[in-house]
Amino acid sequence: MTSRDHAHGFETLAIHAGQEPEPRTGAVVPPIYQTSTYAQDAVGAPRLGYEYSRSGNPTRDALQECLAALEAGRRGLAFASGLAAEDVLVRTVCRPDDHVVIPNDAYGGTYRLFSKVAEVWGLEWSAAPVADVDAVRAAIRPNTKMVWIETPTNPLLSIADIGALAALAHESGALLVVDNTFASPYLQQPLVLGADVVVHSTTKYVGGHSDVVGGALVVADDELGGRLAYNQNATGAVNGPFDAWLTLRGIKTLGVRMDRHCDNAERIASYLTHHPKVASVLYPGLPGHPGHEVAAKQMRRFGGMVSFRAAGGEGAAIEVCNRARLFVLGESLGGVESLIEHPGRMTHASAAGSPLEVPGDLVRLSVGIETVDDLLADLEQALA
Ligand SMILES: Cc1ncc(COP(=O)(O)O)c(C=O)c1O
């Protein structure tokens, strides 16, 4: 089953795409090809094209094939981390003096990549609220090569209209890049909605078990896929075979995990909405969320991330994070266990003092798949 075989349902592709039983033994799980190099049959005749594991590895290929299928793309590429994937994308598509539009509440590491690394190298960037199509239009310049969005955004859970922004980017000759980390391909397939490139931190929902760091790019266009693959090898930030294997193992349950993440997040968002110590709840599944209708149009469900603003301000937000017990205080997201964090001082600390600074009273929850009543009880005691 390949990435071009889109006749199957999502869960079938998650379990089988790129993962045919191994021909020699029939092993149903792709082996971990823990090798750096391969014996060649003659000079210039590598077996099945494999010559060196930075350039190609069968375990990574299985993951790449599966990722392409899940995102309904033509080509998937796996990297050592989400930021390694982003770096290759930026350096493949952009040249010095080009410009990129990024979200005004982008993931802090993405902001840092543009502001501290790409800018030094001569790339221009500006930040726009991606929920506002007119604001994104106003931010586009003649030299804009990419409109880069997250939806939902990290950590404010704003929703961008992928179809509308794809049309806008294309009118200007730019690519629409969607960081699909928060939604996962189970909840949202940006390429189907018109985007050109999907970015993932596979560290999150795709891997799903907080045991492996990785990243991915998936594209709809073979020519761009080829250029990215060239630079994946040329710059070398590939994931190792064991990391690729762990990610692939996580992917098999992506659909069932996401449904439980969504069930639990919906219950928690509704609970927080009625809590006197919570000033506001940011969850696209709530009918009052400004992006609710767009999210309902382009997502299967609304995801496992819930943010809220503490009524007592920054001190109260920090206190809730410190008091939580079952919700583990930690960075990252998308694993089976629930996490709580204070974005202003943790994941988004690198945006402090910038236009992307996040509110101090904000708390972000990555709602896991534990028994929801236990999660509610933990929040009850942490907020008490
Ligand atoms: C939305 C988003 N994109 C990209 C990244 C970067 O991925 P990684 O940490 O795997 O490099 C993260 C990490 O938290 C993220 O949340």
Side-chain angles (χ1 to χ4, degrees), residues 19-167:
Q19 303 168 79
E20 296 298 330
E22 194 258 334
R24 198 162 71 88
T25 62
V28 294
V29 173
I32 306 168
Y33 285 89
Q34 194 72 41
T35 186
S36 61
T37 191
Y38 307 84
Q40 305 197 10
D41 292 327
V43 173
R47 242 175 263 173
L48 301 172
Y50 291 110
E51 51 192 26
Y52 184 61
S53 273
R54 169 165 40 73
S55 319
N57 178 281
T59 317
R60 188 169 82 235
D61 282 351
L63 170 61
Q64 297 188 149
E65 190 75 39
C66 187
L67 287 166
L70 296 186
E71 286 288 3
R74 296 283 301 178
R75 183 130 195 197
L77 296 165
F79 294 85
S81 70
L83 279 167
E86 295 185 17
D87 178 45
V88 164
L89 176 59
V90 170
R91 287 197 277 164
T92 303
V93 173
C94 300
R95 297 290 172 268
D97 299 326
D98 286 343
H99 171 256
V100 180
V101 180
I102 66 169
N104 69 348
D105 62 340
Y107 164 60
T110 297
Y111 165 70
R112 186 176 53 205
L113 177 69
F114 282 101
S115 67
K116 300 285 192 281
V117 180
E119 186 178 310
V120 174
W121 178 72
L123 190 70
E124 297 173 17
W125 61 275
S126 50
V130 295
D132 179 347
V133 177
D134 291 331
V136 175
R137 182 181 289 110
I140 292 178
R141 302 176 186 170
N143 56 341
T144 301
K145 287 291 181 303
M146 298 196 287
V147 174
W148 184 297
I149 64 170
E150 295 170 18
T151 182
T153 59
N154 178 5
L156 294 174
L157 297 164
S158 314
I159 298 295
D161 186 328
I162 296 173
L165 292 176

Side-chain angles (χ1 to χ4, degrees), residues 223-240:
E223 192 271 332
L224 177 59
R227 284 196 287 138
L228 291 166
Y230 183 89
N231 283 350
Q232 178 197 39
N233 176 49
T235 58
V238 292
N239 54 354

Side-chain angles (χ1 to χ4, degrees), residues 12 21 26 30 49 91 160 181 185 189 205 218 277 360:
T12 308
R91 287 197 277 164
T181 299
Q189 290 179 306
Y205 289 107
V218 186
K277 297 212 173 140

Side-chain angles (χ1 to χ4, degrees), residues 79-86 106-110 112 148 150-154 179-182 199-204 212-216 331-333 347-348 364:
F79 294 85
S81 70
L83 279 167
E86 295 185 17
Y107 164 60
T110 297
R112 186 176 53 205
W148 184 297
E150 295 170 18
T151 182
T153 59
N154 178 5
D179 183 333
N180 205 25
T181 299
F182 265 41
V199 175
H200 276 286
S201 170
T202 56
T203 316
K204 312 295 163 21
V212 60
V213 172
E331 304 203 354
S332 200
L333 60 112
T347 47
H348 291 67
R364 191 189 76 179

